[in-house]
Amino acid sequence: MIRSIQSLINNRIAATDGEVGKVKDMYFDDQTWRLRYLVVETGNWLFGRKVLISPVALGEPDWDAGFFPANLTTDQVKNSPDVNSEKPVSRQEEADLHNHYSWPGFGVGGAGFVTTGMVGAVIDPTVPLDEAVYQDSKSADPHLRSFSQVQGYDVYFTGEHPVGEVADLLIDTSSWRIIAMQIGKGGNGEESGNYFVSTSVVKKIEYETSSLFIDPNEELKQSVDEISPVIE
């Protein structure tokens, strides 16, 4: 099923013994385009603390109710390692999270994630991540980005002027992979408009300039009318 990230914001996450909070953002890998974490705001029960939940912990969503069941307990969430979601997430923080919840390592078969170089060859999901070799455990994964960070980035096909801005991202929830992005109005070029492009044609993302560059092949663009029918 294809969903936009915007449509998932404010969906509720429920543990096996109570509600955890609401989705406020998402982290993804900008090389593999896999969703890595949901940023969940816990509300009053944890004083508004934000926690990271991996898609591997999620059960079958109730889309009509805007509800994600999660295979974890409220005590696990309460006692989970603190991660400041307002700053880049370090490799060690990710390792601590995965060890705490006993989530499989990155690149483990069946987890839906592709090894990004952050962790060495993690083959056995029972091996704690802190036994993996990190080149620098205190540094952040340079490919881990949040939706709120890239939303509004200028998009370029050719030329000096942007053709629009990143408005939304589309996720295939069967694999939690981002398959396309919606380019909204906002650019100064003649082609400024509202359409979708596949993430497979993204050539480069410049975080220093808040810019995203796409292969200029016009045939790769899809109009909103063409792709909207497949979005639930």
Side-chain angles (χ1 to χ4, degrees):
M1 184 173 290
I2 309 301
R3 295 274 174 172
S4 72
I5 284 187
Q6 290 272 39
S7 72
L8 301 182
I9 299 300
N10 287 323
N11 275 215
R12 294 174 294 121
I13 303 291
T16 57
D17 58 349
E19 189 163 319
V20 174
K22 294 182 178 180
V23 177
K24 292 300 179 182
D25 202 354
M26 297 187 185
Y27 278 107
F28 64 94
D29 185 308
D30 69 6
Q31 285 193 322
T32 64
W33 294 100
R34 298 281 181 177
L35 185 69
R36 290 258 286 273
Y37 304 105
L38 289 78
V39 180
V40 180
E41 188 174 73
T42 56
N44 293 334
W45 79 282
L46 281 183
F47 307 102
R49 175 185 165 198
K50 291 181 179 179
V51 297
L52 301 185
I53 303 296
S54 169
V56 302
L58 300 180
E60 186 66 29
D62 183 335
W63 298 115
D64 292 334
F67 170 85
F68 286 95
N71 186 26
L72 44 81
T73 67
T74 53
D75 273 348
Q76 282 181 300
V77 175
K78 180 180 179 180
N79 297 318
S80 64
D82 281 325
V83 177
N84 187 346
S85 61
E86 304 300 323
K87 296 181 179 180
V89 181
S90 74
R91 292 172 167 88
Q92 187 58 57
E93 287 174 324
E94 290 196 82
D96 291 343
L97 273 175
H98 281 249
N99 286 334
H100 173 75
Y101 288 110
S102 298
W103 290 334
F106 306 99
V108 174
F113 297 98
V114 179
T115 300
T116 64
M118 186 186 77
V119 179
V122 181
I123 299 174
D124 185 351
T126 64
V127 176
L129 284 186
D130 56 12
E131 294 181 13
V133 178
Y134 290 87
Q135 292 183 347
D136 183 358
S137 64
K138 293 183 179 180
S139 66
D141 181 352
H143 299 293
L144 187 63
R145 303 293 172 177
S146 70
F147 169 64
S148 62
Q149 179 183 14
V150 301
Q151 187 181 31
Y153 272 24
D154 289 327
V155 178
Y156 295 83
F157 279 94
T158 58
E160 299 180 356
H161 300 293
V163 297
E165 297 178 346
V166 177
D168 208 344
L169 300 175
L170 301 184
I171 298 179
D172 181 345
T173 58
S174 65
S175 62
W176 292 107
R177 186 173 67 86
I178 298 171
I179 62 170
M181 63 180 62
Q182 182 178 357
I183 310 303
K185 297 181 184 296
N188 298 317
E190 294 180 358
E191 298 176 46
S192 179
N194 195 26
Y195 44 81
F196 290 88
V197 294
S198 169
T199 51
S200 65
V201 301
V202 175
K203 295 176 63 178
K204 180 174 62 172
I205 303 176
E206 288 187 355
Y207 295 101
E208 298 81 2
T209 61
S210 300
S211 304
L212 185 146
F213 299 85
I214 293 178
D215 190 309
N217 186 344
E218 294 299 313
E219 296 179 359
L220 296 175
K221 294 192 301 182
Q222 289 181 289
S223 70
V224 173
D225 291 338
E226 288 176 309
I227 200 169
S228 290
V230 304
I231 305 173
E232 299 293 338

